[in-house]
Amino acid sequence: MGWRASGPPASQPFLPGSAPTPVSQISTFQQYGPPPASVQQLRNHMAGMTIGSTAASAPPPAGLGYASVPPVSGSFSATGSGLYTPYSTSQGPPLTNVSQGLPVAQPPFPAQTVSTQRLPTQVPAFTPPPPSTGVGPSSYPPTTGAPRPPAMPGPPLPGQTVAGPPSSQPNHVSSPPPPSTMAGLHPAPPMSGLHGPPPPTHPPQPGYPMQQNGSFGQMRGPQPNYGGAYPGAPNYGSPPGPPPPPKRLDPDSIPSPIQVIEDDRNNRGSEPFVTGVRGQVPPLVTTNFLVKDQGNASPRYIRCTSYNIPCTSDMAKQSQVPLAAVIKPLATLPPEETLPYLVDHGESGPVRCNRCKAYMCPFMQFIEGGRRFQCCFCSCVTEVPPHYFQHLDHTGKRVDFYDRPELSLGSYEFLATVDYCKNNKFPSPPAFIFMIDVSYNAVKSGLVRLICEELKSLLDYLPREGNMEESAIRVGFVTYNKVLHFYNVKSSLAQPQMMVVSDVADMFVPLLDGFLVNVNESRTVIASLLDQIPEMFADTRETETVFAPVIQAGLEALKAAECAGKLFIFHTSLPIAEAPGKLKNRDDRKLINTDKEKTLFQPQTSFYNNLAKDCVAQGCCVDLFLFPNQYLDVATLGVVPYQTGGSIFKYAYFQLETDQYRFLNDLRRDVQKEVGFDAVMRVRTSTGIRATDFFGAFYMSNTTDVEMAGLDCDKTITVEFKHDDKLSEDSGALLQCALLYTSCAGQRRLRIHNLSLNCCTQLADLYRNCETDTLINYLAKYAYRGVLSSPVKTVRDALINQCAQILACYRKNCASPSSAGQLILPECMKLLPVYLNCVLKSDVLQPGPEVTTDDRAYIRQLVTSMDVAETNVFFYPRLLPLTKADVDSDSLPAAIRNSEERLSKGDIYLLENGLNIFVWVGVSVQQSLIQNLFGVSSFSQISNALSTLPVLENPFSKKVRSIIDMLQGQRSRYMKLIVVKQEDKLEMLFKHFLVEDKSLTGGASYVDFLCHMHKEIRQLLS
């Protein structure tokens, strides 16, 4: 496999994720409330519900109290500073009120309405499910799920466990779960009671075409679930013959993520996005577009929740839209875009405001003929240094405006002077130290040999600056189990020398000269060492490991060399050997859904927090590769990688034949990607707002500086802003992100990103300029941090409540008057409900029985530094019908919605979420397609142990493999390939990712969650 030098963000810190939520409950379909006593009651309950622009997202977990949620108080209150997510402002079609089928007056800006039809007086064949399956009308079903129906003959029910080989695990799931538990979302069988508002009784009006883009045409009957309901799922009260009655709300009449993504691609994918205008909402992250920097930072570097922010804090509180920016300071750009220019002002360094220290940027105002400038952030006037003076033209612009990146571009770099360096000394180039666990498990699995073989060639690909012949980065090697082994690989030696440190309680580095070396100079000694390590430990019987002393050793080595750097630690087990940082197994699933659940996400000792602080001070970043066969306490081991700006990679039940390709790809990309060391980031804002809260993988010793021992091209820092004064519509609001870092060649630099936003006095302007994908990215991070200090149910309720307030405020203040039975959503937030439901159903907030504590801690950290494109596909996966792909074109087949009813048993589908790629094969797929893709002659011969597709010389095989390669190239981590055959035990795992369906863990379907949100909004409005 060639080296993928560039690619989307690779290592994310703790981020919440929507990992599979497997479940052991059966999918008995719990209603949102106990069945209504009468049709009349139901009619009143669901009185016409219109959906304005609606949002598509995964069903929220049903179990965590979805009763109407009062504003939550306590540590996890839904805060007032709403978050601003820009979404596309494209106008929607005229609103349609579905019950009459006539266009309705357009609200002030596009929103679509869909009214829920009245229930026909007689619902054919509708028998409410037995009371045991439901819950009171106002609450969601209990988390525990419904009691299981009696066992039925036939294939195993979703809730029965069927053991599966560990290889069938998704990327982040650790224990080889009985796949059934992974089931995730299971769509309701057609008869499972009323699912959404009942269908209209009147015949559809003629001549009213179905509109896909969020306005709602006629309801249609349910699409048949492929292969009928899941075998063995109870069909309540339906005679076998006649078709089931249609569900309450037709899934095609509610906002579709696929349609919104498609529309944005069509409307905004062809023209470059030019950043010259203040407050422009960029195209969606799912749209391919080119950026032309004309004074504001590219959306690849900064995305905001809203590009038009309220002028006052009262208005912000009223809307509840969080005001936040997701910043990716070192983002990789596509080859067609220009990297930030490096500006060298010589010994005087960058020009800055005297008072607030903001850096020179396009928004600074030159006055008095160019002799002074007024700061756009704090209004202070500063003298222009003589060497920087330039005359102004007739418009007041400097005549060298277009020659200076810092006056005409949104993003650029300054060469830093010695004043910006530690101890007023220019830094040395950084070092990489490879630290390999050589305990019994690591050796026996073949891991040690694999790492050593790979490093021999990988060391030639260390990152280097621009046109440098070779990398300036030096390397060192350590192996460890209960003791540490350091290696002298000095170029003058004939053979490497090993030094053992067994006093792990007082760690020191036993050699200075010869530990960190230049790869080219010591090439033969290093090669010899990498050949010898697997042989030296081949017969080891040592099963115990230490962990903290390993980090301490790397830290001491960097201190002695007076440089920053990165530790690559390859580790397999819970560190139980006697040593500092020793841990015990504290895993306890009984804590789930209790007030003590938060302890599962917290480190079990403060030792690692203190160690992380020392690492950050030295610029020692830690990347951790974990290969667990059981619990190893990711919540604790992850503290140092997380707080130093590093990454965690996890390969549960690592097996050489199925997992090595994925691990090696991750390792190659991690070693080669762009990293800044010893980094400090500060965000300045113009008067009126200030940065108040930060999310991501970093350390903060004060309230303003985000410190990272390392920051790579994949990491984001999310910043929330609050008002501290009034803003004005005329001047808008400005952000400046300044990142001070050491490049891989040892050069100290400042990277600056500037962004100007509009300010509004009308709520409608706020709602017209939000971006839902960024909003969801912020809300997920906010919730995933909340689980550290609050019960998960509190966190979930706060999320639902905040989103209901955002939508109720829009309804009350921006939408034209309409009946309360209509759900009206702002055009650019119509996907908020569907995406929010996906976050609620994610493994961090609603775990299935086989999601381990380590999986949840891992996902929590991962999501915390994901960018907007990553959270988008993570929470709402991409589902492609491979059999519809055009083998003669380069294009992807059109994506379809994440629901089982969209699958046909004669087709093959691909689902990706940034961590895994599933290839789902229907039972009736043509034999020729199976032969072309898998090289076997029948469905039954397809192996689900495949980790790559066979390379076959036919157009279909080439097309599918090129699609997979293309998707892998877009993601920061190498996704695990899992082949799933319909009706196979692994299918439960796959269904977990069909996020529009009801999930086995109790998560709501999209349709049901939309009804629930509507009810919450109506309660707030009344």
Side-chain angles (χ1 to χ4, degrees):
M1 148 77 185
W3 307 81
R4 291 188 306 143
S6 70
S11 38
Q12 292 102 306
F14 308 13
L15 295 191
S18 65
T21 328
V23 190
S24 64
Q25 288 302 350
I26 321 207
S27 49
T28 40
F29 293 84
Q30 307 147 331
Q31 287 186 284
Y32 265 101
S38 67
V39 174
Q40 183 58 44
Q41 225 173 300
L42 191 102
R43 196 186 289 165
N44 301 347
H45 176 56
M46 284 305 307
M49 155 179 179
T50 351
I51 300 183
S53 316
T54 13
S57 109
L64 289 140
Y66 272 30
S68 59
V69 187
V72 186
S73 60
S75 57
F76 199 90
S77 60
T79 52
S81 85
L83 185 108
Y84 298 43
T85 328
Y87 223 96
S88 100
T89 45
S90 56
Q91 305 273 317
L95 305 181
T96 333
N97 176 321
V98 177
S99 42
Q100 288 92 270
L102 302 168
V104 183
Q106 185 94 326
F109 62 92
Q112 292 133 8
T113 50
V114 169
S115 71
T116 28
Q117 291 63 24
R118 310 274 163 174
L119 235 163
T121 19
Q122 286 212 293
V123 183
F126 166 65
T127 326
S132 62
T133 58
V135 193
S138 63
S139 72
Y140 265 38
T143 337
T144 53
R148 301 177 177 224
M152 304 179 110
L157 284 176
Q160 294 171 342
T161 41
V162 188
S167 59
S168 61
Q169 302 265 76
N171 219 333
H172 59 275
V173 170
S174 38
S175 40
S180 69
T181 48
M182 301 291 330
L185 313 151
H186 181 62
M191 290 302 317
S192 57
L194 290 169
H195 254 303
T201 40
H202 51 75
Q205 269 77 10
Y208 171 4
M210 171 64 205
Q211 290 172 300
Q212 246 288 12
N213 52 357
S215 61
F216 315 99
Q218 305 134 306
M219 301 297 205
R220 58 164 177 77
Q223 288 184 350
N225 263 348
Y226 68 75
Y230 200 82
N235 255 9
Y236 294 116
S238 62
K247 300 179 184 161
R248 284 191 293 194
L249 244 193
D250 168 18
D252 277 348
S253 69
I254 58 181
S256 156
I258 307 303
Q259 193 62 46
V260 169
I261 288 168
E262 195 52 40
D263 290 347
D264 193 75
R265 279 187 185 140
N266 294 336
N267 296 333
R268 308 198 63 187
S270 49
E271 295 295 309
F273 178 69
V274 182
T275 72
V277 181
R278 182 175 85 188
Q280 276 186 111
V281 182
L284 300 184
V285 285
T286 43
T287 298
N288 275 330
F289 59 98
L290 276 183
V291 179
K292 290 211 166 115
D293 184 342
Q294 291 193 359
N296 281 292
S298 159
R300 301 190 206 288
Y301 294 124
I302 308 182
R303 276 189 178 262
C304 295
T305 52
S306 178
Y307 288 78
N308 198 333
I309 63 180
C311 282
T312 65
S313 63
D314 288 348
M315 195 173 151
K317 281 197 185 80
Q318 187 184 359
S319 73
Q320 283 288 311
V321 177
L323 185 50
V326 179
I327 305 175
K328 196 175 180 186
L330 298 178
T332 307
L333 300 183
E336 311 87 321
E337 293 178 18
T338 318
L339 292 170
Y341 291 99
L342 181 59
V343 178
D344 183 358
H345 281 315
E347 289 186 10
S348 57
V351 178
R352 305 176 66 176
C353 166
N354 269 345
R355 179 172 21 181
C356 72
K357 300 291 184 249
Y359 294 85
M360 180 53 65
C361 72
F363 311 117
M364 297 289 189
Q365 192 66 46
F366 287 88
I367 53 175
E368 296 175 24
R371 286 188 295 279
R372 305 168 83 189
F373 69 89
Q374 182 165 29
C375 178
C376 50
F377 294 94
C378 71
S379 305
C380 174
V381 173
T382 300
E383 296 284 331
V384 172
H387 72 89
Y388 197 71
F389 174 78
Q390 187 52 271
H391 295 286
L392 308 185
D393 67 12
H394 65 284
T395 64
K397 256 188 191 168
R398 283 173 55 123
V399 296
D400 62 354
F401 175 80
Y402 289 107
D403 305 329
R404 291 196 177 270
E406 73 274 21
L407 299 181
S408 52
L409 299 176
S411 300
Y412 42 87
E413 295 200 310
F414 290 119
L415 204 52
T417 58
V418 76
D419 312 332
Y420 291 87
C421 303
K422 251 187 216 166
N423 310 324
N424 278 16
K425 271 175 35 182
F426 282 113
S428 311
F432 281 0
I433 305 177
F434 297 91
M435 315 184 89
I436 306 167
D437 173 346
V438 288
S439 63
Y440 178 75
N441 275 347
V443 174
K444 183 189 65 169
S445 65
L447 181 63
V448 173
R449 186 174 299 277
L450 181 69
I451 293 168
C452 291
E453 276 304 306
E454 178 62 29
L455 287 178
K456 282 188 219 169
S457 54
L458 185 52
L459 294 177
D460 288 330
Y461 294 89
L462 298 176
R464 54 174 174 253
E465 210 102 304
N467 47 11
M468 287 171 56
E469 289 284 308
E470 62 174 50
S471 174
I473 292 173
R474 290 172 297 162
V475 297
F477 303 89
V478 171
T479 55
Y480 67 93
N481 39 46
K482 274 206 305 201
V483 298
L484 274 74
H485 323 105
F486 293 79
Y487 298 93
N488 184 344
V489 283
K490 198 170 172 180
S491 54
S492 55
L493 296 173
Q495 282 294 321
Q497 298 170 346
M498 172 160 110
M499 300 186 185
V500 181
V501 175
S502 51
D503 180 8
V504 289
D506 187 16
M507 188 42 63
F508 66 99
V509 178
L511 72 162
L512 286 181
D513 194 26
F515 179 64
L516 293 178
V517 298
N518 172 293
V519 174
N520 281 339
E521 290 168 11
S522 296
R523 183 174 298 279
T524 50
V525 196
I526 291 173
S528 169
L529 170 67
L530 293 172
D531 283 335
Q532 289 174 40
I533 288 175
E535 306 311 326
M536 269 191 293
F537 298 100
D539 301 321
T540 185
R541 286 277 163 269
E542 184 54 72
T543 55
E544 293 190 351
T545 57
V546 296
F547 184 69
V550 182
I551 297 176
Q552 288 170 326
L555 171 61
E556 292 305 321
L558 293 178
K559 271 186 186 164
E562 296 187 350
C563 68
K566 182 177 271 199
L567 313 182
F568 294 84
I569 302 179
F570 304 91
H571 188 78
T572 60
S573 59
L574 189 71
I576 53 173
E578 259 331 305
K582 169 185 170 179
L583 301 178
K584 59 180 191 294
N585 186 339
R586 52 154 187 169
D587 190 17
D588 186 0
R589 294 194 56 88
K590 292 198 288 296
L591 299 180
I592 293 180
N593 292 326
T594 70
D595 284 355
K596 289 195 175 154
E597 183 171 6
K598 57 182 180 242
T599 59
L600 297 175
F601 295 109
Q602 298 164 355
Q604 58 172 283
T605 157
S606 61
F607 182 87
Y608 289 94
N609 294 76
N610 297 324
L611 180 54
K613 186 176 169 183
D614 296 342
C615 287
V616 172
Q618 181 55 42
C620 169
C621 177
V622 177
D623 278 1
L624 181 55
F625 291 80
L626 294 172
F627 305 87
N629 287 334
Q630 57 198 25
Y631 177 74
L632 47 60
D633 203 346
V634 173
T636 306
L637 298 188
V639 168
V640 178
Y642 186 59
Q643 295 192 7
T644 58
S647 305
I648 304 180
F649 298 85
K650 182 160 150 296
Y651 310 88
Y653 300 96
F654 178 80
Q655 291 181 320
L656 208 57
E657 57 284 5
T658 52
D659 295 316
Q660 66 166 334
Y661 198 60
R662 178 165 60 102
F663 160 57
L664 293 179
N665 273 287
D666 283 341
L667 176 60
R668 287 167 191 164
R669 189 156 185 280
D670 196 46
V671 166
Q672 297 172 74
K673 67 187 173 189
E674 183 185 357
V675 188
F677 292 95
D678 234 336
V680 184
M681 185 183 100
R682 183 175 280 196
V683 178
R684 293 178 173 84
T685 51
S686 52
T687 311
I689 52 169
R690 61 193 170 86
T692 54
D693 208 351
F694 301 85
F695 303 81
F698 52 73
Y699 175 79
M700 291 187 83
S701 54
N702 58 36
T703 57
T704 54
D705 296 334
V706 174
E707 300 173 52
M708 294 154 289
L711 172 69
D712 64 50
C713 55
D714 299 321
K715 294 281 190 304
T716 65
I717 294 95
T718 301
V719 185
E720 185 179 3
F721 303 97
K722 293 255 168 66
H723 287 78
D724 56 9
D725 204 346
K726 279 201 174 73
L727 294 165
S728 92
E729 283 184 285
D730 295 341
S731 50
L734 300 175
L735 318 177
Q736 183 178 81
C737 162
L739 176 77
L740 175 65
Y741 71 99
T742 301
S743 73
C744 58
Q747 200 176 52
R748 200 71 175 148
R749 296 182 176 178
L750 284 151
R751 180 168 288 201
I752 313 295
H753 297 298
N754 303 288
L755 186 63
S756 60
L757 302 173
N758 286 328
C759 296
C760 58
T761 53
Q762 299 298 315
L763 283 163
D765 291 325
L766 160 67
Y767 284 101
R768 205 179 280 120
N769 291 281
C770 287
E771 213 216 1
T772 300
D773 292 319
T774 311
L775 186 52
I776 287 290
N777 178 285
Y778 164 86
L779 289 172
K781 291 171 181 177
Y782 182 68
Y784 281 19
R785 184 176 66 186
V787 298
L788 290 173
S789 53
S790 304
V792 172
K793 180 180 185 315
T794 309
V795 174
R796 292 162 44 86
D797 290 349
L799 269 183
I800 294 170
N801 186 51
Q802 180 165 6
C803 289
Q805 289 195 29
I806 291 172
L807 297 174
C809 174
Y810 171 77
R811 172 66 189 260
K812 183 176 172 190
N813 300 289
C814 309
S816 53
S818 59
S819 84
Q822 291 188 310
L823 171 58
I824 300 182
L825 303 169
E827 175 62 26
C828 64
M829 280 191 191
K830 64 184 179 189
L831 298 183
L832 186 60
V834 66
Y835 287 163
L836 176 69
N837 192 24
C838 296
V839 174
L840 291 167
K841 293 205 294 193
S842 66
D843 284 339
V844 173
L845 298 182
Q846 191 167 42
E850 67 313 307
V851 178
T852 66
T853 301
D854 276 345
D855 295 332
R856 296 177 77 197
Y858 173 66
I859 291 296
R860 198 190 77 76
Q861 298 199 22
L862 204 54
V863 173
T864 305
S865 28
M866 275 187 189
D867 70 9
V868 179
E870 289 175 308
T871 51
N872 174 274
V873 76
F874 183 72
F875 289 115
Y876 192 92
R878 175 149 59 164
L879 182 58
L880 305 172
L882 295 177
T883 21
K884 306 272 193 294
D886 177 354
V887 293
D888 301 319
S889 92
D890 291 338
S891 62
L892 288 174
I896 58 172
R897 291 172 64 169
N898 282 224
S899 171
E900 188 177 1
E901 68 170 28
R902 311 279 168 173
L903 304 179
S904 142
K905 59 186 178 185
D907 288 317
I908 301 174
Y909 298 85
L910 178 149
L911 181 145
E912 63 126 356
N913 74 339
L915 293 182
N916 303 295
I917 289 182
F918 291 91
V919 173
W920 182 92
V921 188
V923 283
S924 314
V925 170
Q926 289 172 7
Q927 188 260 328
S928 59
L929 284 174
I930 290 175
Q931 183 72 51
N932 284 343
L933 191 55
F934 299 103
V936 296
S937 55
S938 70
F939 179 82
S940 59
Q941 291 175 300
I942 299 170
S943 160
N944 47 18
L946 292 173
S947 56
T948 52
L949 293 177
V951 176
L952 303 172
E953 287 303 314
N954 66 71
F956 185 56
S957 172
K958 285 180 183 166
K959 176 66 181 175
V960 171
R961 284 181 290 112
S962 79
I963 288 175
I964 290 176
D965 290 345
M966 186 178 120
L967 299 179
Q968 292 283 22
Q970 291 172 2
R971 304 294 169 217
S972 60
R973 294 178 175 230
Y974 198 82
M975 296 182 279
K976 175 170 184 160
L977 181 79
I978 302 173
V979 175
V980 177
K981 298 195 284 186
Q982 184 179 359
E983 293 172 7
D984 187 72
K985 57 193 176 194
L986 263 181
E987 199 185 19
M988 300 309 291
L989 170 53
F990 170 77
K991 285 181 179 175
H992 172 69
F993 296 95
L994 298 176
V995 291
E996 290 198 22
D997 297 336
K998 183 169 267 187
S999 75
L1000 286 175
T1001 39
S1005 70
Y1006 173 21
V1007 166
D1008 286 349
F1009 185 65
L1010 203 53
C1011 297
H1012 178 70
M1013 282 303 286
H1014 185 209
K1015 195 180 81 187
E1016 293 287 318
I1017 292 164
R1018 287 175 67 175
Q1019 270 177 338
L1020 288 170
L1021 293 175
S1022 60

